[in-house]
Amino acid sequence: MKGIVISRLGGPEVLEVQEIPDPEPGPGQELVRVEAGGINFADIITTHGGYPGTPKPPLVAGREFAGARESDGLRVMGYAQWAAFAERIAARPELLWPVPPGWSAEEGAAFPVNYFTAYFAYWKAGLVAHAKDAASGVSTGRVPRVLIHAVAGGVGTAAVQIGKLLGVDMYGTSSSDDKLARAKELGLQHGINYKQRDYEEAIKDLTHGEGVDAVFEMLGGEHVGKSVRCLRDFGRVIVYGSATGQRAELDTRMLYAKGASVHGLWLTYLSAHRTLMDEAWKQLSAWTSQGHLRPVVGHTLPMERAADAYRLLSERKNFGKVVLRVAGA
Ligand SMILES: NC(=O)c1ccc[n+]([C@@H]2O[C@H](COP(=O)([O-])OP(=O)(O)OC[C@H]3O[C@@H](n4cnc5c(N)ncnc54)[C@H](OP(=O)(O)O)[C@@H]3O)[C@@H](O)[C@H]2O)c1
């Protein structure tokens, strides 16, 4: 079968479509015939060798996919740590979910990482519980605010769709007005172009000096401290990435000055907790079956163009998800 192999450490140029052996399922694993694979920022980091827990090259790339389960033909979408960008994968059954009716394989491949991550970000921020309280008539006083970095990306667009359902006032950053305009069509209320305006200043102005209840932070470096400064009292920064490649800069005195906190979120770790994943899927699948969630697939490329697809993310040219067509390549 064909697969995309990370042939050595480096940038997107190290990706090669190669003939590779069929996967051998371990105990309890299911074989899936892959049709499409979703590209994540983690895939970019993996080619450089900086992704924790990932073996050294040569390695079959890819962390999420959609296709047909070989045992019964069920259309499934799944999450793995590597080897998803190949014509077949041996997958863990608890990390396979049925593709909602009417969705394409590309949409299925764009779902697991973005939507579980975005859901867990709201959960960690306390905003899932807040929305449940509000729905059951418990007075919450005011509409919570969240700042979403890279709002027009894969996780970002998922966070906008979920935030709309939770009744959150959303502020989002992007490098481009065009991307922000498209995120607004999904329900983002306040777009901030960080190339034109400092987002900390923008948040201060837009919230009349109050700040936001939560920040979804995936940039690293100075942005961790800046994100804490965007918080109102008792706010939470959910740290889940470092796209700048820089170590977080944070003076923890800023936290106790306003009762704020910083929470880590890593789907690799959470995905090993079955109860948490099942609980999240219960809510996510209810929303999808009501037609409220639908992945935003901005770009679909054949597997031979994997390097170009990876560059869309690393060069900030993507809107929503970048998906690779795997089958029949
Ligand atoms: N912890 C977890 O479990 C988890 C799970 C999924 C994703 N993540 C993290 O979440 C972030 C988003 O992931 P994604 O897959 O959804 O990617 P993405 O947001 O679709 O693509 C990356 C976007 O980040 C923005 N960006 C800002 N600074 C950047 C920089 N220095 N280099 C490259 N891009 C930069 C760009 O958007 P603008 O041009 O609009 O700024 C770019 O389009 C990544 O940091 C990823 O590692 C973490």
Side-chain angles (χ1 to χ4, degrees):
M1 68 169 187
K2 281 180 183 158
I4 298 174
V5 174
I6 303 170
S7 57
R8 57 192 187 282
L9 293 183
E13 72 285 352
V14 305
L15 299 168
E16 292 175 7
V17 176
Q18 292 183 8
E19 206 55 47
I20 56 171
D22 272 24
E24 303 223 345
Q29 285 190 323
E30 306 250 23
L31 279 172
V32 176
R33 198 167 286 277
V34 177
E35 292 167 31
I39 300 184
N40 290 289
F41 207 80
D43 295 312
I44 314 295
I45 302 170
T46 302
T47 65
H48 290 282
Y51 206 81
T54 310
K56 289 200 173 78
L59 174 76
V60 181
R63 312 173 68 82
E64 68 184 330
F65 56 93
R69 192 161 66 183
E70 292 217 329
S71 57
D72 58 2
L74 182 74
R75 297 177 72 237
V76 288
M77 48 196 189
Y79 175 59
Q81 293 303 306
W82 58 85
F85 299 162
E87 288 177 309
R88 292 165 91 212
I89 183 169
R92 286 169 51 191
E94 70 275 21
L95 297 179
L96 289 177
W97 304 275
V99 175
W103 285 20
S104 63
E106 287 83 354
E107 288 172 309
F111 186 86
V113 174
N114 292 341
Y115 284 83
F116 276 100
T117 303
Y119 177 84
F120 284 129
Y122 283 108
W123 174 70
K124 286 210 159 238
L127 297 178
V128 172
H130 185 280
K132 278 189 184 142
D133 284 350
S136 60
V138 177
S139 171
T140 54
R142 59 186 172 75
V143 174
R145 301 181 183 122
V146 63
L147 168 61
I148 305 165
H149 287 303
V151 73
V155 176
T157 51
V160 171
Q161 290 182 1
I162 294 174
K164 193 174 166 187
L165 293 167
L166 296 174
V168 175
D169 192 27
M170 296 175 281
Y171 302 72
T173 67
S174 172
S175 61
S176 126
D177 284 345
D178 179 47
K179 289 196 212 178
L180 287 171
R182 294 168 76 181
K184 281 191 173 175
E185 285 167 20
L186 297 173
L188 175 74
Q189 294 96 335
H190 314 275
I192 304 167
N193 183 330
Y194 62 81
K195 294 264 186 195
Q196 292 169 5
R197 200 169 177 206
D198 178 76
Y199 64 81
E200 191 183 334
E201 287 303 318
I203 289 293
K204 211 177 277 173
D205 288 350
L206 291 165
T207 66
H208 317 292
E210 290 173 3
V212 295
D213 297 272
V215 183
F216 298 168
E217 206 307 286
M218 40 53 73
L219 296 162
E222 60 165 341
H223 299 284
V224 182
K226 266 174 89 70
S227 294
V228 171
R229 291 199 294 276
C230 290
L231 291 176
R232 67 189 306 161
D233 286 355
F234 303 107
R236 303 179 194 182
V237 171
I238 313 303
V239 170
Y240 70 105
S242 60
T244 60
Q246 288 160 7
R247 229 171 240 278
E249 287 167 30
L250 175 66
D251 180 345
T252 50
R253 287 174 295 187
M254 282 197 297
L255 296 176
Y256 50 77
K258 51 181 166 185
S261 52
V262 175
H263 298 243
L265 189 176
W266 191 26
L267 190 59
T268 299
Y269 174 77
L270 296 178
S271 67
H273 293 258
R274 184 81 188 259
T275 322
L276 273 183
M277 294 298 284
D278 288 351
E279 196 62 29
W281 173 245
K282 203 170 138 195
Q283 178 62 82
L284 290 170
S285 58
W287 281 331
T288 55
S289 66
Q290 291 156 9
H292 293 316
L293 299 180
R294 190 124 193 186
V296 178
V297 179
H299 320 257
T300 303
L301 286 85
M303 70 195 292
E304 286 80 2
R305 292 191 55 205
D308 291 337
Y310 274 47
R311 283 187 195 105
L312 287 172
L313 270 82
S314 58
E315 294 174 3
R316 310 184 200 199
K317 290 181 180 151
N318 67 305
F319 178 74
K321 193 78 172 178
V322 182
V323 174
L324 287 175
R325 285 285 317 163
V326 174

